[in-house]
Amino acid sequence: MSAEETSASTWRKRTLSENMLFGMGNPLLDISAVVDKDFLDKFGLKPNDQILAEDKHKALFEEIVKRNKVEYHAGGSTQNSVKIAQWMIQEPHKVATFFGCIGADHFGKILKKKAEEAHVDAHYYEQSEEPTGTCAACITGDNRSLVANLAAANCYKKEKHLDLDSNWELVKKAKVYYIAGFFLTVSPESIIKVAKHASDNNKIFCMNLSAPFISQFFKEPLMKVMPYVDILFGNETEAATFASVLGFETDDIAEIAKRTQELPKENPDRRRVVVFTQGKDDTVATVGEKVTMFPVLDIDQNDIVDTNGAGDAFVGGFLSALVQEHALEECIRAGHYAAHVIIRRVGCTFPEKPEYH
C-alpha cells in the first residue's frame, strides 16, 4: 500500500465510527429457489413482484423448501442494505446498526449469526409469540417474485425496544438513517420517532418506496413520514404507482422525481433528493433544480444470475458513500457498483471484499 493509499484509508477510518449508520426494518430469512410458471400460477404470483403472504400462500412455504437447490440467506430489505453498506465500508466494523424483531428460534439464530458475520451491529427485539419472518424468493429466469411472511418482524414494538435508553442511545449516535417503506406496515410510530430525531438534529433521513403496495395501501403513514424524508429511493414501477396514488397525472419518471422533491418538507436546510433506479436503464436523480440521468454499469445479460436484492444493494452502496459525506454523484456510483456485484450472485450475497475505488 502506498503512503497515499494508507493516508486515504486512515482518513476514511478516522471519519467513520461505530453506529454512524442506522437502519430499522423487517429482518427476514430469504428462502430462494428456481421455480416454473406453473408454480407461480398455482399461487397466483406475478413473475416480478413483492407481496405480503396471505392464507393462500401458507402451502407455498412448505412446497418451496422441498424443491431442489433451496438457498437460505439473511434478508429483509433494510437489513440487506445496511449489510451491503458495511461490506462496502469494510472497516471499522459496526458502522451500521440494525433494529428489527425476530423469534426465539432456529431461523432467528441464523439471522443473528449472519449479521455478526457481516459486522453489522444488530440489536433484535426477540419475542416468542411469533416465529422469525421468512421471505420466499420464487425465481424464474431473471425475474423474482417475493412473498414475505412477516411473522415476528410484524411484532416490533416501539415501547419495548426503540424507547429503551440503551437502544435510543444507539439511534442518537447515527448521522444517517435508513428505513425501507416496508416497515410502514409494522411500526409507523417508530419510523416517525427516528425521522423527527433526524430532522430536529439536521441529520439525514432516507426512505424507500419499497413496493407498489406500500403507496397503494399504506399511503397515509407514508405521507406522514414524507415531510421528514431527505432522500427518497424507489424503482420505476414504485415511482409510477406513487405518482398515480398522489394524482401527479404523469408517467414521466423525471417529472415524478421533480414533483416528489417538491412535496412539503420539515427541515428546510436540506433539500430533498429523489433517486429512482430503472433496472438496466439510467438512474434518475434530482440534483438541485434539475433532474439528472446516471447510466448504470454495462453488464452482459448472461452474467445476471438473480436481480433479487439489486435495489437493496444500490441503496447499500449509496449509503456507504453518503455516511462518508461524498457528493451525490459518488453515492450513485457506489450504488451502481454494489448492485452490479449483487446481480451476478444468488440472493443478496457478496464476495469477501469489494473492488471499488
Side-chain angles (χ1 to χ4, degrees), residues 31 33 35 39-40 44-51 60 64 135-140 143-148 308:
I31 305 170
V35 301
F39 184 90
L40 296 182
L45 304 177
K46 295 176 191 158
N48 218 4
D49 200 10
Q50 54 273 67
I51 61 166
L60 180 152
I64 200 164
C135 178
C138 311
I139 299 161
T140 52
N143 287 322
R144 49 100 188 109
S145 198
L146 306 179
V147 184
N308 182 23

Side-chain angles (χ1 to χ4, degrees), residues 321-340:
L322 182 68
V323 81
Q324 295 177 61
E325 300 181 3
H326 291 315
L328 178 68
E329 291 74 358
E330 183 52 41
C331 295
I332 290 172
R333 197 170 78 86
H336 284 164
Y337 168 78
H340 189 74

Side-chain angles (χ1 to χ4, degrees), residues 123-169:
H123 294 257
Y124 297 114
Y125 169 50
E126 283 182 62
Q127 48 74 60
S128 34
E129 246 103 276
E130 286 279 348
T132 296
T134 49
C135 178
C138 311
I139 299 161
T140 52
D142 56 9
N143 287 322
R144 49 100 188 109
S145 198
L146 306 179
V147 184
N149 180 27
L150 295 183
N154 210 15
C155 302
Y156 189 83
K157 299 278 180 288
K158 174 176 167 290
E159 59 285 358
K160 296 244 179 88
H161 194 259
L162 186 70
D163 292 347
L164 303 183
D165 289 347
S166 57
N167 289 333
W168 189 248
E169 281 307 313

